[in-house]
Amino acid sequence: MPGLAIDRYGEVLVIHADAAVLLERWLPEIRTDLGDFAAAYTKIHPRAASHVAADQVRRLAPEAPVWGPPRPETEVLEDGVRYLVRPDAGLSVGLFLDMREVRDWLRTNTARRRVLNLFAYTCSFGVNAALGGAARVLNLDLSRGYLDWGKTNYRLNGLSVDDRDFVYGDAFDWLGRLARRGERFDVVIVDPPSFSSTPFSVTRDYPRLVEAAARTVAPAGILLAATNHAGTSDDRFEAWLQNGLTLAGRYGRVVQRWHEPRLDFPMPPGRGQPYLKVRALVLD
């Protein structure tokens, strides 16, 4: 059903809808089919999340479940890795399930490498790089709360937490500082939100972000770049990447491509392209 999706986090469901009318239409049948799950929460996703005020978020993503007792936190397991999920935490609950293949790739391709995780959110990429034996992982985000959540995810997986590896701040500001210091990383992860409360715009600023990130990638290092902006085509996304690399004076070769996993993220009828686009590029 286009515009409707259900994520399962252990015994808790999170029901996503593009409009309230979809929830009204389908919630009774969902409860009939899936009412055995311990609890279920609903999220109505606006077209531009950057324009949603805090009181609107509470209306679009109520803290109370539509059935079952409150489950403000639940621990989940994905491919042997543990994460803390908060089903009542607004429109995003702490783990984006469509990125699991990328998390798996990081866990198997970062041994002894220095990793910079921009827009770290709850640090799921950082957790997998650390579990994969990375020499260092630097997680950077503009939310202290998300970074604290990321530290919890580290602890859940038996990883040591060094506060110096969880940095609060703006990505552009820190990329400039790191470049001026001559710090270089073997893997730099760029996964900005499609819609943000900051002045950053994916469709306007992505090439500039790639340029700044590329200046911190070591020779033969990897730039891992992603967007889930549904209105952006594969060709346009790769043009952003190449434009940014050109501005930085770097050359990049795509070695891996991902879209949303087909098994549980099937493309709705009428959509001509996947919404998730991820590229791993080796830079000269």
Side-chain angles (χ1 to χ4, degrees):
M1 173 56 62
L4 185 70
I6 305 173
D7 289 339
R8 175 186 174 183
Y9 295 94
E11 291 304 310
V12 179
L13 302 180
V14 178
I15 305 165
H16 305 271
D18 287 352
V21 66
L22 280 168
L23 280 180
E24 294 167 6
R25 164 66 182 85
W26 289 102
L27 190 56
E29 294 184 36
I30 292 171
R31 182 162 189 176
T32 297
D33 290 342
L34 301 175
D36 289 342
F37 281 88
Y41 290 78
T42 58
K43 317 286 182 185
I44 300 173
H45 293 267
R47 290 186 177 273
S50 61
H51 300 149
V52 179
D55 60 333
Q56 290 178 291
V57 170
R58 286 190 290 272
R59 178 176 55 83
L60 297 171
E63 291 185 358
V66 289
W67 78 71
R71 293 284 293 268
E73 292 187 348
T74 186
E75 185 182 317
V76 299
L77 190 68
E78 177 195 77
D79 292 333
V81 184
R82 299 185 181 279
Y83 305 96
L84 180 69
V85 171
R86 291 173 174 155
D88 66 354
L91 292 169
S92 299
V93 303
L95 186 69
F96 296 111
L97 304 184
D98 53 1
M99 279 288 197
R100 70 171 181 272
E101 293 175 343
V102 182
R103 287 190 284 270
D104 180 71
W105 184 88
L106 281 165
R107 203 165 59 252
T108 56
N109 287 274
T110 49
R112 298 179 297 280
R113 291 181 164 181
R114 287 170 50 85
V115 178
L116 174 60
N117 182 23
L118 302 168
F119 307 96
Y121 187 41
T122 60
C123 306
S124 66
F125 287 155
V127 165
N128 281 273
L131 288 173
R136 187 198 177 189
V137 183
L138 178 60
N139 298 286
L140 174 68
D141 199 89
L142 198 54
S143 166
R144 298 186 193 277
Y146 284 148
L147 290 172
D148 287 340
W149 194 338
K151 292 175 185 178
T152 298
N153 283 332
Y154 266 59
R155 294 186 183 103
L156 282 176
N157 290 281
L159 297 168
S160 61
V161 172
D162 187 332
D163 288 340
R164 293 171 297 182
D165 293 333
F166 297 83
V167 175
Y168 166 80
D170 175 77
F172 281 103
D173 177 49
W174 273 98
L175 285 170
R177 294 191 204 185
L178 294 168
R180 288 191 295 273
R181 293 176 188 170
E183 291 196 47
R184 298 295 179 264
F185 297 85
D186 304 298
V187 179
V188 176
I189 304 167
V190 178
D191 183 20
S194 291
F195 301 101
S196 171
S197 58
T198 70
F200 177 83
S201 164
V202 165
T203 55
R204 183 191 64 227
D205 298 324
Y206 209 108
R208 186 166 64 94
L209 178 60
V210 170
E211 175 191 7
R215 298 185 190 281
T216 67
V217 180
I222 293 173
L223 177 67
L224 184 65
T227 184
N228 64 357
H229 189 269
T232 298
S233 67
D234 278 328
D235 289 344
R236 186 184 187 195
F237 180 54
E238 293 201 1
W240 288 347
L241 299 178
Q242 294 306 323
N243 289 346
L245 293 177
T246 298
L247 290 170
R250 304 291 298 269
Y251 171 78
R253 174 173 55 88
V254 177
V255 294
Q256 183 81 37
R257 292 177 172 86
W258 293 270
H259 295 299
E260 58 268 27
R262 284 185 153 186
L263 177 65
D264 48 351
F265 289 86
M267 195 178 302
R271 178 180 287 168
Q273 62 184 22
Y275 67 86
L276 180 63
K277 293 154 280 282
V278 189
R279 302 290 184 270
L281 303 97
V282 174
L283 306 193
D284 63 1

